[in-house]
Structures are given as C-alpha cells and as structure tokens.
Amino acid sequence: MHTPVTRRTAARTGALLALALAAGTTAACSAPGPAANAPAADSTPTAVSTSLPTTPVTLKLYDGQGLKSVDDALIAAFTKQHPNVTITATYDPDNVTTQNQPRQLASSTPPDLVRVISVTAGTKNNLLTNLDAYATAYGWDELPASQLAQFRAKDGVAGAGSLYAKASGFTMTGLYYDKKVAASLGMTTPPASLDELSSWMTRAKAAGVTPMVVANKEGGGVFPFQLIINSAMGPKKVSEWVFNAPGATIDTPEAVAAATTVAGWNKAGLFPGSVNALDATAADALFASGKALFFPWGNWDAANLDKTMPGQVGFFAMPPASAGGQVAAMSDAATAFGIPARSQHKDAAAAFLNFLSSDEARQIAVDHGFMPSGGADQAQPSIPSGSVLGDVTSAFAKVSAAGGQVPFVQNATAGISNRAWTPESQLLLGGSSTPQTFVANVQKSYEDELKR
C-alpha cells in the first residue's frame, strides 16, 4: 500500500491536477509530430473485439511512479490470466508526468495504455481513442455513471459525451471521526444531516475537544465547503463548473450558504483557533491526539489512522442538508488509463481496461488504499474487520451508487487553487471577507482565467 505521504500527494490533485492541465496542454503543443512512417491513428474504432489475440502481444504502459505498486499488481494479475500478453511499464517521477504524458500521447510510437491527466487535452488532436465501441462491447455503460463521467468529453468539454479513459480505482473524501470522543458525547451513529453534524460539533466544543480539524494553511478550508456544495448544488452542477462547461457558475445561493456555514463554524470556535496557520501534518497530529471529533479528509489517510489509532476511527460521507438527501464526495481516479489513437494493440489494451473493474482488480485497488471501480452488485473486496478502510469503502459505495462522485473544485483551472481558493478561503476564515465576496471572487478569478 502507498505510504500516507504518497496518498496525501495524490489527494492534493485538487491543486496539482490543475497545474497538470496547463502543463499538459503546453507540452502537447511542443511535442514532436509523428514520424512520416508512423502508424495511422484510429481515434474512433468501430470494429472492436473483446477476444484477445492468440499470438503473443506486448503492451506498453505509462504512469507515474507513485502508482507503481498498484499498477504492478494489476499487471501481474492480468498477465497471469492472459499469459500471451506481456505488459512493460514505464514510470516517470510524479512531478514530471504532467510534462511528459502529452509527449507520450503525441509520439509516433506511443504506449498502448497511458495515464490520462486531461481528457479534453487528449482529445483536442484526436490523440486518445474514443472508447464508446469498447464500452458497448464490454458493458461499461452499466457501471455507475459518476465512475465514468469525468472521463467523457464532447466539443472540448469534459463530463459528458464519449468515453476516453477508465479508472484503476478512486479516491474518496468525507469525514473521519474519533469513536472514543464520539461515544463520550453520546454519538452512536454518524450524523444524517448537516444540522445534526453542527449539533455534535457544538457539543464537542462544550466538552473541550476540537469539533472539526480543518487545516487552511494550504487551502484545506475549501474541503468542508466543497463537501457541502457537492450535495447542495448537486454533483452535476459542481462537475460542470470544474469541467468549464459554458455558463457554469459557482456564484450561487447554495454556495453562499455553504460558505456562510463554514465561516459560521469557524467564528463559533468549532475549528482550531490557528486554522489559517495549520498544515496537513499538524492536522493529522491534532486528530491523532484523541482530542478532536471530526476530520474532513480522504482515503489516503486510512492506513495511517488504522496504525496510529487502531479501531478508534470511523468514516462517513458528508451528510446532506436533510436526512435522505443527495450524498456526494470529491472522488478522482487513482489512474485513469486511456488508449492512444496510434496504439496498434487496442483490443488487448481495452481488455486491460475491462479487467480494472473485475473482482480481482477491485481487491487489488482496496489492498493499495483506493476505492474499487465497478458496480454494487459485484463481490465486495475483503477488508480487515474493524478497519477504518472498511468505513471508507462503504461510504464510497453509497456515494457511487447515488451518482455522487465529483471532481475537486481546485482542478477547475490551472491557477485557481493558488490564485483564488486558498487566499480567498484564508480571508473568509480570517474574518476579512464575507461568504458572498468569497464566492464572487472565486467565480471572477475563474472567468478571468478562462477569458469569459
């Protein structure tokens, strides 16, 4: 399993992928063009097969070093089932994949399976294979829609249209809670509504423990805000905003209300007093001290918490405003694999994509700390009894079934995390801004960057 540091890095794709989008686009423009004798690209195959060739096939795979252990396990399991297929993998350091991945796509001899950082960048010059024919042949359209939505694109906008990638697993966000602290307060089940959550936070403050650990030195204050708007605005509208859909806006009454709630929690002393100076490491330590109730974070910390607080931590998806309402969460891919248009082994590569949602691959994903791709009717992966990872996986299944997977808002544009979300959230929690101004300024920065 990846170390907590590695997964935390992946978690921060909320900021990092935003940079990836810009870097990827730039690199793609500068990539060398295909050689004169390069194989012809077929970006929209129609005659596809789910049968693997009977002769030996070697596939090339490209990904980041941070995903090596899970990728290697998936490759070993797939090639064991299909011994005539060999997969040779190349892993770049994670901090250069954003530059090198577009070059891989544009190469005259690209990998057959490549990490897709930006679906829209990959489709601009027909560099990625349209997977619709494979989706029909394999039945991928029967998977929960939100597991595929972020890998679809149409007319240069992600979120809908044809399919261009499939995930090896997913991240999951929500709220960790300290079971001992919760029991001391009388909380026996996770809150079912936002009001219940607020009520337990107030009781925690009265009992002298930190109600909610929020670290906003690096913009972590956006975490509870987005957890609320995912349900309040709805997954579709939030996703459209991240995918830069025409007319998308986050300057909505629901977003202002969410900012009001988060600012109100902080003003009432429900966040740490040093919220704007607290970083992720300090937040981990504060929650692990046993003197805090809730911690909005993600699956990447589950293994660490199972070690440092064995049996003491639970996890649940952010409750909606009203019990029984839409549940949703930020949930990106571990790796979204696509097939370059110039791949000469598309059928074999698609068979690997299909394997990613098999029962065996789902177990591998969970064993490496990720949430499994696939449907609710499949066998559930084996998870150690009493581990918080079990709670995270259950929450993911609930969110996925409800169509509630949403990309991070920090990924909406290349610069919006550092230019808007982090400074504006610090002003909001520092009492120097209002919820209306917070939301309006983020939207203005978004429109300025997109030149709208």
Side-chain angles (χ1 to χ4, degrees), residues 350-435:
F352 182 78
L353 297 187
N354 186 58
F355 173 76
L356 296 178
S357 50
S358 68
D359 290 346
E360 187 172 6
R362 285 160 55 83
Q363 184 64 57
I364 291 170
V366 169
D367 289 345
H368 287 77
F370 294 103
M371 302 298 102
S373 171
D377 58 341
Q378 291 182 249
Q380 293 304 305
S382 175
I383 298 172
S385 177
S387 71
V388 69
L389 181 60
D391 281 3
V392 178
T393 306
S394 296
F396 172 77
K398 182 179 178 182
V399 167
S400 181
Q405 288 178 256
V406 179
F408 288 83
V409 291
Q410 291 99 328
N411 283 345
T413 68
I416 200 162
S417 181
N418 291 331
R419 294 174 186 168
W421 282 117
T422 296
E424 293 296 338
S425 66
Q426 289 177 340
L427 290 172
L428 178 69
L429 297 186
S432 301
S433 180
T434 66

Side-chain angles (χ1 to χ4, degrees), residues 135-162:
T136 299
Y138 280 109
W140 298 340
D141 289 334
E142 296 176 8
L143 295 172
S146 61
Q147 289 191 16
L148 301 176
Q150 55 192 302
F151 316 124
R152 295 185 181 278
K154 182 180 180 182
D155 299 331
V157 178
S162 293

Side-chain angles (χ1 to χ4, degrees), residues 191-218:
S193 69
L194 209 54
D195 283 346
E196 282 189 32
L197 179 70
S198 294
S199 175
W200 286 116
M201 290 167 67
T202 301
R203 296 189 201 187
K205 183 177 187 297
V209 299
T210 301
M212 180 178 283
V213 178
V214 174
N216 201 37
K217 184 176 182 179
E218 299 148 339

Side-chain angles (χ1 to χ4, degrees), residues 97-332:
T97 56
T98 55
Q99 295 173 313
N100 292 343
Q101 180 259 0
R103 296 176 185 274
Q104 297 280 344
L105 267 182
S107 168
S108 60
T109 56
D112 302 287
L113 294 156
V114 65
R115 177 183 191 174
V116 176
I117 295 173
S118 167
V119 170
T120 53
T123 58
K124 275 184 179 176
N125 296 310
N126 295 321
L127 298 177
L128 275 174
T129 298
N130 181 320
L131 300 175
D132 285 353
Y134 288 111
T136 299
Y138 280 109
W140 298 340
D141 289 334
E142 296 176 8
L143 295 172
S146 61
Q147 289 191 16
L148 301 176
Q150 55 192 302
F151 316 124
R152 295 185 181 278
K154 182 180 180 182
D155 299 331
V157 178
S162 293
L163 185 68
Y164 290 92
K166 194 163 178 281
S168 59
F170 294 94
T171 60
M172 173 64 188
T173 54
L175 294 167
Y176 289 106
Y177 68 101
D178 188 318
K179 292 181 179 178
K180 287 185 178 178
V181 173
S184 72
L185 299 172
M187 184 184 123
T188 56
T189 59
S193 69
L194 209 54
D195 283 346
E196 282 189 32
L197 179 70
S198 294
S199 175
W200 286 116
M201 290 167 67
T202 301
R203 296 189 201 187
K205 183 177 187 297
V209 299
T210 301
M212 180 178 283
V213 178
V214 174
N216 201 37
K217 184 176 182 179
E218 299 148 339
V222 180
F223 228 81
F225 168 77
Q226 188 180 356
L227 286 172
I228 294 173
I229 65 168
N230 289 340
S231 299
M233 284 178 60
K236 185 174 184 293
K237 287 186 176 179
V238 177
S239 297
E240 287 176 345
W241 190 81
V242 176
F243 294 142
N244 307 156
T249 181
I250 205 165
D251 190 355
T252 66
E254 294 88 352
V256 172
T260 301
T261 297
V262 171
W265 283 344
N266 184 54
K267 188 175 182 180
L270 305 184
F271 290 171
S274 55
V275 60
N276 277 347
L278 203 67
D279 63 20
T281 301
D284 266 340
L286 175 56
F287 185 69
S289 71
K291 298 178 181 177
L293 179 57
F294 297 122
F295 183 22
W297 210 223
N299 64 292
W300 49 89
D301 231 7
N304 177 49
L305 291 171
D306 271 331
K307 289 180 182 177
T308 59
M309 306 170 72
Q312 192 178 333
V313 181
F315 181 94
F316 59 95
M318 187 71 165
S322 301
Q326 168 76 56
V327 290
M330 296 86 85
S331 176
D332 282 341

